[in-house]
């Protein structure tokens, strides 16, 4: 194997960092050897509790049973807002940067607290109570944070749906969580383009009879459809709302939110996160992974519709009293220097983004970066997929001017927060490796039979200990939670990723080992895309796989078998792409559709995806064993007509 470059810890940075190499070793050992005392100390240090817990941790993975800080009582919005007022009421909590580079605004902790209290009262006046599910379908505007924290304040469970999902996806999520209230904007704005959010909500809830209230934020101000009584304007309701709203007392294990993510089978699952452990883990990882210090300007470019936005735009930073930047737009609008212009304009110190964005900007050339200053930057981060060393080096040398360490953070919707990651002052970097486990996290590499592999090894990645930010269930389907994460390898949490551990104990994530693909850092179930394709009356069968894509990481490659007699045309391909957009959203649209008169199947009728993946990646020399195929000639046909030659 070729030697990989190592970037040592910068001693100057280490000298003022929260976690030094020695401290990492000591604390990590303590977190594994004495987890109860370790986590109790952290919970006291990071959070304000109304009532202390009785028991730090209890779990039984065979039942999917995970509890942290049971008996403890607290409120998340109190921890993110109220407790900061005395010391940092006038400090900026949120810097909002509009899609339009000429517009931005700053919201102080005091102002945010006031808005959240008022909106919490609006929700209450609409009958929303503790435990009720509230759907949030918003663009990246300050009101998204207000709505989220207002739910937390009264103990309502938010279910944020990414604004890029279609009306049909929104409908499924509203129905699954049985939300009675939806919060949306008239329209979103991204890269100068309008996104008709309210129209999608109307379409979605024409199939959701339980939705009684739609609260609409006026964002672009354009005309939208309106249903009197059901629809209310946010700004009108806020006018008369009181700003006095004491935080509800919640148990540590009361639900905080549901967030949907794709799996290898079936419909997206609503991961359920709870209150105390989640908040602690978000706050603690935010502070240590980004070496956050008071006064830092922190920017995570994710959308609040993904878990990264939940934990590292809203909950972690605000719990730590940070200034968090929220960006409404996209990296390439009006020009591909937008990120760096924002960094300069707001003097951002910590910048956290996704490999797909880095690759997209790298492709635009260095001039867009070099014409900006970026000297405020101190720490860089990435998340969402493995970062290829070439993109890592570009990020390090060109964006960070070789001054800023890169935190390659591995985690998932299910994990609530970062699990495998460098720490700026403590862990030497290797481009492409997420490096070492965070405190309390114990990864193992298993072979397919479930044997633990020691030392240098490659296999499936599992975690042998619970951590506070771990999801507690799949909403409405606890058995699916057990089956998905705890059945394959009893005694462990199975992440769905493969990984390699090198001789220094560093982890290298090799990608999903299931039928999930990672498109621009977004998880997409191949089964979901297939279900959408077969809805078309001309389609007999479809099989979807990922293939390497220079910008997106993985692209979506669909093999489609048409019904006999149907004419295969470019127009039909477009219809299928549009159908997937409508069913799921633009992020799921197939990049390539190949007509396949037949699909390679075993004699028992199972599609052999392994072969389809190889053909899509143009790795036809290593197809492997095809002798178990029912009809081997199908493969030749598919190879002859492959798109990526
Ligand atoms: C999947 C989780 C965690 C927030 C964003 C995505 C992949 C994530 C990395 C990384 C290699 C990564 C994994 C994981 N992934 N971060 N640093 N290196 N792979 O959350 O949508 O729940 O997806 O993203 O495959 O399982 P998600």
């Amino acid at each position: 194997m070729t030697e990989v470059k190592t970037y040592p810890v910068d001693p100057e940075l280490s000298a003022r960092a929260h976690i030094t190499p020695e401290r990492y070793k000591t604390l990590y050992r303590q977190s594994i050897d004495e987890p109860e005392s370790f986590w109790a100390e952290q919970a006291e240090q990071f959070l304000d509790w109304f009532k202390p817990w009785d028991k730090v941790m209890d779990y039984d993975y065979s039942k999917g049973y995970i509890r942290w800080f049971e008996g403890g009582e607290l409120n998340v919005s109190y921890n993110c807002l109220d407790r900061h007022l005395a010391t940092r009421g006038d400090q900026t909590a949120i810097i909002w940067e509009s899609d339009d580079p000429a517009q931005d605004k700053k919201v102080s902790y005091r102002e945010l607290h006031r808005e959240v209290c008022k909106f919490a009262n609006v929700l209450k006046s609409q009958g929303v109570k503790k435990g009720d599910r509230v759907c949030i379908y918003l663009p990246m505007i300050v009101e998204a944070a207000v709505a989220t924290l207002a739910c937390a304040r009264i103990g309502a469970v938010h279910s944020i749906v990414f604004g890029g999902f279609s009306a049909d996806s929104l409908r499924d999520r509203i129905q699954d969580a049985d939300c009675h209230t939806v919060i949306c904007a008239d329209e979103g704005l991204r890269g100068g383009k309008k996104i008709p959010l309210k129209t999608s909500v109307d379409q979605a809830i024409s199939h959701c009879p339980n939705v009684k209230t739609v609260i609409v934020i006026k964002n672009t101000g354009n005309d939208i459809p309106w249903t009197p009584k059901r629809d209310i304007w946010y700004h009108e309701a806020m006018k008369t709302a009181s700003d006095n709203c004491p935080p509800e007392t919640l148990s540590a294990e009361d639900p905080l939110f549901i967030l949907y993510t794709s799996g290898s089978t079936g419909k997206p699952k609503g991961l359920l996160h709870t209150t105390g452990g989640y908040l602690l883990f978000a706050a603690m990882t935010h502070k240590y992974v980004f070496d956050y210090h008071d006064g830092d300007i922190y920017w995570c470019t994710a959308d609040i519709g993904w878990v990264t936005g939940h934990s590292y735009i809203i909950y972690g930073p605000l719990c730590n009293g940070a200034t968090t930047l929220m960006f409404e737009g996209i990296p390439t609008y009006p020009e591909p220097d937008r990120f760096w212009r924002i960094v300069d304009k707001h003097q951002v110190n910590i910048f956290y983004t996704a490999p797909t964005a880095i690759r997209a900007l790298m492709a635009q050339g260095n001039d867009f970066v070099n014409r900006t200053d970026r000297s405020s930057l101190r720490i860089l981060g990435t998340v969402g997929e493995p970062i290829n060393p070439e993109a890592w080096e570009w990020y390090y040398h060109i964006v960070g001017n070789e001054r800023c360490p890169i935190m390659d953070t591995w985690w998932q919707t299910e994990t609530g927060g970062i699990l495998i990651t460098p720490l700026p002052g403590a862990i030497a970097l290797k481009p492409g490796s997420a490096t070492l486990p965070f405190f309390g996290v114990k990864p193992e590499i298993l072979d397919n039979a479930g044997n633990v592999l020691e030392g240098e090894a490659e296999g499936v990645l599992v975690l042998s200990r619970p951590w506070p930010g771990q999801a507690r269930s799949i909403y409405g389907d606890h058995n699916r939670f057990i089956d998905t994460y705890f059945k394959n390898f009893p005694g462990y949490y199975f992440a769905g990723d493969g990984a390699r551990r090198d001789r220094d104990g560093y982890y290298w994530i090799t990608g999903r080992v299931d039928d999930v693909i990672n498109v621009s850092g977004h998880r997409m179930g191949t089964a979901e895309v297939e279900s959408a394709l077969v809805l078309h009356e001309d389609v007999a069968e479809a099989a979807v796989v990922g293939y390497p894509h220079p910008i997106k990481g993985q692209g979506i490659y669909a093999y489609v078998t048409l019904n006999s007699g149907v004419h295969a045309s470019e127009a039909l391909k477009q219809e299928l792409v549009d159908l997937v957009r409508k069913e799921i959203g633009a992020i799921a649209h197939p990049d390539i559709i190949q007509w396949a008169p037949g699909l390679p199947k075993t004699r028992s009728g199972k599609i052999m995806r392994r072969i389809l993946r190889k053909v899509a990646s143009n790795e036809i020399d290593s197809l492997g064993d095809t002798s178990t195929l029912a009809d081997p000639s199908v493969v030749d046909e598919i190879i002859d007509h492959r798109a990526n030659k």
Side-chain angles (χ1 to χ4, degrees), residues 301-314:
T301 69
D303 189 283
I304 47 133
W306 310 112
V307 73
T308 312
H310 286 59
S311 301
Y312 299 112
I313 295 177
I314 299 181

Side-chain angles (χ1 to χ4, degrees), residues 6 18 24 47 187 378 549:
T6 302
H18 296 299
Y24 171 70
L47 304 182
E187 293 177 320
R378 197 176 84 245
H549 185 285

Side-chain angles (χ1 to χ4, degrees), residues 349-496:
N349 307 112
I350 303 167
F351 178 75
Y352 188 28
T353 194
T356 187
I358 297 166
R359 285 191 300 264
L361 296 176
M362 187 166 109
Q364 304 280 340
N366 296 357
D367 290 351
F368 290 110
V369 192
N370 290 337
R371 71 193 193 190
T372 61
D373 179 52
R374 287 160 289 106
S375 60
S376 59
L377 289 174
R378 197 176 84 245
I379 310 282
L380 302 173
T382 77
V383 60
E385 55 175 308
I387 180 164
N388 47 314
E390 195 193 354
W392 194 102
E393 297 282 358
W394 185 81
Y395 196 26
Y396 183 78
H397 293 282
I398 307 301
V399 175
N401 282 346
E402 304 173 13
R403 282 185 304 104
C404 312
I406 299 174
M407 303 304 112
D408 176 355
T409 62
W410 175 81
W411 59 295
Q412 311 177 294
T413 305
E414 292 86 340
T415 72
I418 295 164
L419 296 194
I420 302 183
T421 179
L423 302 177
I427 296 171
L429 309 173
K430 298 186 191 185
S433 171
T435 76
L436 297 173
F438 189 75
F439 305 124
V441 174
K442 191 138 193 328
E444 299 281 5
I445 307 261
L446 307 183
D447 66 16
N448 286 333
N451 301 304
V452 175
L453 304 176
E454 307 283 353
E456 274 184 75
E458 182 162 346
V460 296
L461 178 63
V462 297
L463 301 154
S464 66
R465 292 286 186 88
W467 60 96
Q470 186 168 19
R472 303 296 195 259
S473 194
I474 289 174
Y475 188 78
D477 198 349
H478 193 70
N479 283 332
R480 189 174 176 199
F481 184 63
I482 301 172
D483 291 347
T484 311
Y485 304 109
F486 305 103
K487 266 269 162 64
N488 294 7
F489 302 101
Y492 298 101
Y493 167 78
F494 170 51

Side-chain angles (χ1 to χ4, degrees), residues 18-29:
H18 296 299
I19 309 290
T20 58
E22 298 70 39
R23 200 156 154 71
Y24 171 70
K25 283 194 199 93
T26 316
L27 278 183
Y28 183 74
R29 191 163 312 128

